[in-house]
Amino acid sequence: MKSLTHENACQQILQNVHRHITLDQNEKEIFCSKLSFRKVKNREVLQKAGENCMFSYFVTKGCLHGFQTDQNGFEHVLNFAPTDYWISDLYSLISGKPAVINIEATTSSEVIILSRKDQEDLYLEVPKFERFFRVILEKSLVHFQQRILDNLRLNAEERYERFCEKYPQLVGTLAQKQIASYIGVTPEFFSKMRTRMLRRS
Amino acid sequence: MKSLTHENACQQILQNVHRHITLDQNEKEIFCSKLSFRKVKNREVLQKAGENCMFSYFVTKGCLHGFQTDQNGFEHVLNFAPTDYWISDLYSLISGKPAVINIEATTSSEVIILSRKDQEDLYLEVPKFERFFRVILEKSLVHFQQRILDNLRLNAEERYERFCEKYPQLVGTLAQKQIASYIGVTPEFFSKMRTRMLRRS
DNA sequence: CGTCTATTTGAATGTACTCAAAAGCGGTGG
DNA sequence: CCACCGCTTTTGAGTACATTCAAATAGACG
């Protein structure tokens, strides 16, 4: 018997899944039986670089982010995962090698957890999920491709504007240094750039 | 009845497909019946930005690349597709909106063409291809994610070294300005950087 | 061989970084 | 409730990496 929170989370992810595939009652139950649930505190770590990635996370509330830390201690944000987004270290998940990114909450959050093994089983038991994740991956790929082109074409101000368009709900909640690290500038430069932009408008 | 070239191309793509899924004779025939073939001259255009993307291309020989052109006429290379790679404007393909990238041959090449419609039919007729493209997309996503992190972490020299590791077979055949545009620097700076690196070694 | 484009080289410039220090802000414990 | 601590943000000066513009040279292709 599941708690109300779990029921709600299941409803939420099923609603998301149904945007791309249609499941019957049995398939829904198979899927939900593989999910677990967790509250995550602000700054809590779900995945450490160097350790094998064994889970995919679906955010039902709050926001996580994936990042790398370089030899100088600088963080580089690969992605933010607000509500209804999936996040994992895909490299580690599909290769079985140690993770290259860290996953951490940017605010107190709630996530659904799908283990690597359960995900593989799911593909076999309910092949529709091959399609589901194919579609998710396509969208994700388009997003990352656009980001690469933005990084090639745009200067820091323009990249920040893009970020604001893409994640309007995050602009107010994230630390500036996290946004700076996503668009690829230092916190100092980001701060100066922001005052410059505000002065103009 | 197909030409020998077509037979060879079919064998090549089937061999590639079999790295991820196993097809029986009937499934192979369904798949191959949807493919067409084409030789592409150096610099020939397969996809123009602004026009709807109706095809995915699989390179059997040579190399294509996808790029955007900005308002100053500068090209920004999203990806190279050497032998055994797929390339398309995924954004346009899945959204039905006008393409945002151009696809062109970097050298005389040969490609297999799969239309958007045939690809969709293929998913329904041979659902194993959902898995195939899911796996392809996963690998592609990991590659683009790594590139984003490289662009955040590394300076131009290091990005060039990465490029050389990733595409050793292309380093000799591409124009310098194409490599420059992939790693995100001007051709002039790339030229200076290269002499600097050669002087050192 | 001639034309067109790519590459090289140099000087001046600009965008973003580094280092250092001060100010702001949030959480925690007395 | 306030004071303190640690972390984030701001500000400034000096620097570095990469761009721009211009001109010369080299290469590719018909």
Side-chain angles (χ1 to χ4, degrees):
Chain A
M1 177 109 136
K2 279 175 187 160
S3 78
L4 191 61
T5 310
H6 292 188
E7 284 299 339
N8 285 341
C10 268
Q11 288 310 312
Q12 186 175 338
I13 197 171
L14 281 172
Q15 197 170 344
N16 185 276
V17 166
H18 282 149
R19 292 173 57 172
H20 302 301
I21 57 174
T22 305
L23 298 177
D24 64 30
Q25 193 54 37
N26 181 44
E27 290 163 338
K28 284 184 199 177
E29 279 165 21
I30 293 174
F31 176 52
C32 289
S33 75
K34 297 186 188 304
L35 305 177
S36 48
F37 304 84
R38 180 162 163 193
K39 284 184 196 270
V40 190
K41 285 203 274 278
N42 186 17
R43 283 158 192 265
E44 196 173 334
V45 175
L46 290 181
Q47 172 73 53
K48 275 197 184 116
E51 299 180 358
N52 280 10
C53 177
M54 304 305 287
F55 306 100
S56 298
Y57 301 100
F58 178 87
V59 180
T60 55
K61 194 177 145 194
C63 182
L64 309 184
H65 72 310
F67 63 95
Q68 266 186 3
T69 305
D70 67 23
Q71 66 272 41
N72 305 317
F74 287 98
E75 295 186 356
H76 304 284
V77 174
L78 175 62
N79 53 359
F80 293 109
T83 305
D84 280 353
Y85 274 71
W86 289 88
I87 188 170
S88 70
D89 183 322
L90 189 60
Y91 166 76
S92 174
L93 204 69
I94 69 177
S95 71
K97 294 178 189 161
V100 292
I101 66 165
N102 306 278
I103 298 176
E104 235 185 71
T106 66
T107 182
S108 73
S109 306
E110 292 174 19
V111 299
I112 294 179
I113 303 174
L114 175 61
S115 79
R116 185 173 155 181
K117 173 80 169 60
D118 281 333
Q119 186 162 4
E120 279 165 18
D121 292 346
L122 186 62
Y123 289 135
L124 302 174
E125 294 170 38
V126 188
K128 284 174 190 172
F129 275 95
E130 295 274 10
R131 168 175 282 250
F132 174 71
F133 283 104
R134 171 180 63 79
V135 173
I136 295 288
L137 287 163
E138 282 176 351
K139 287 172 185 285
S140 186
L141 191 56
V142 166
H143 168 257
F144 280 109
Q145 287 185 347
Q146 196 53 59
R147 180 154 168 224
I148 285 175
L149 288 167
D150 286 349
N151 286 348
L152 293 174
R153 266 167 49 225
L154 307 179
N155 64 22
E157 284 196 14
E158 293 165 326
R159 295 201 299 276
Y160 177 49
E161 283 164 5
R162 285 286 194 154
F163 173 83
C164 293
E165 291 163 18
K166 193 117 211 163
Y167 299 105
Q169 77 281 26
L170 293 184
V171 178
T173 69
L174 294 172
Q176 285 187 193
K177 61 177 291 197
Q178 291 174 318
I179 301 177
S181 139
Y182 178 91
I183 67 173
V185 294
T186 57
E188 293 93 337
F189 181 76
F190 184 73
S191 168
K192 288 168 194 168
M193 187 180 88
R194 246 177 108 264
T195 45
R196 201 194 316 147
M197 292 172 80
L198 288 171
R199 235 193 331 263
R200 267 208 305 270
S201 63
Chain B
M1 179 107 138
K2 281 175 187 160
S3 77
L4 191 61
T5 310
H6 293 189
E7 285 300 339
N8 285 341
C10 267
Q11 289 310 311
Q12 187 176 337
I13 198 171
L14 280 172
Q15 196 171 344
N16 185 276
V17 166
H18 281 148
R19 294 173 55 173
H20 302 302
I21 56 174
T22 306
L23 298 177
D24 63 30
Q25 193 53 37
N26 181 43
E27 290 164 337
K28 284 184 198 177
E29 279 164 22
I30 294 174
F31 177 53
C32 289
S33 75
K34 299 188 188 302
L35 305 177
S36 47
F37 305 84
R38 181 163 160 190
K39 285 184 197 269
V40 190
K41 284 202 275 279
N42 187 17
R43 284 159 192 265
E44 197 174 334
V45 175
L46 289 181
Q47 172 74 51
K48 275 197 183 114
E51 299 179 358
N52 280 11
C53 178
M54 304 305 288
F55 307 100
S56 297
Y57 302 99
F58 178 86
V59 179
T60 54
K61 195 177 144 193
C63 182
L64 310 184
H65 71 310
F67 63 95
Q68 267 186 0
T69 306
D70 68 21
Q71 65 272 41
N72 306 317
F74 286 99
E75 294 186 357
H76 304 284
V77 174
L78 174 62
N79 54 358
F80 293 109
T83 304
D84 280 352
Y85 274 72
W86 289 88
I87 188 169
S88 70
D89 183 322
L90 189 60
Y91 166 76
S92 173
L93 205 69
I94 69 178
S95 71
K97 294 178 188 161
V100 292
I101 65 164
N102 306 278
I103 298 175
E104 236 184 70
T106 65
T107 181
S108 72
S109 305
E110 293 174 17
V111 299
I112 293 179
I113 304 174
L114 176 61
S115 80
R116 185 173 155 181
K117 173 79 169 61
D118 280 333
Q119 186 162 2
E120 279 165 19
D121 292 346
L122 185 62
Y123 289 134
L124 302 175
E125 294 170 37
V126 189
K128 284 175 190 172
F129 276 95
E130 295 275 11
R131 168 175 282 252
F132 175 72
F133 283 106
R134 171 180 64 79
V135 173
I136 295 288
L137 286 163
E138 283 175 351
K139 286 172 185 285
S140 186
L141 192 57
V142 165
H143 168 257
F144 281 109
Q145 287 185 347
Q146 196 52 59
R147 180 152 167 225
I148 285 175
L149 289 167
D150 285 348
N151 287 348
L152 292 175
R153 267 168 45 227
L154 307 178
N155 64 21
E157 284 196 15
E158 293 165 327
R159 294 201 300 276
Y160 177 50
E161 282 165 5
R162 286 288 195 151
F163 173 83
C164 293
E165 290 164 18
K166 194 119 210 160
Y167 300 105
Q169 78 281 27
L170 294 183
V171 178
T173 69
L174 293 173
Q176 284 187 195
K177 61 176 291 196
Q178 291 174 318
I179 300 176
S181 140
Y182 179 92
I183 68 173
V185 294
T186 57
E188 292 93 337
F189 181 75
F190 183 73
S191 168
K192 287 168 195 168
M193 188 180 88
R194 246 177 108 264
T195 42
R196 203 195 314 148
M197 291 171 82
L198 287 172
R199 233 193 333 262
R200 265 207 306 269
S201 64

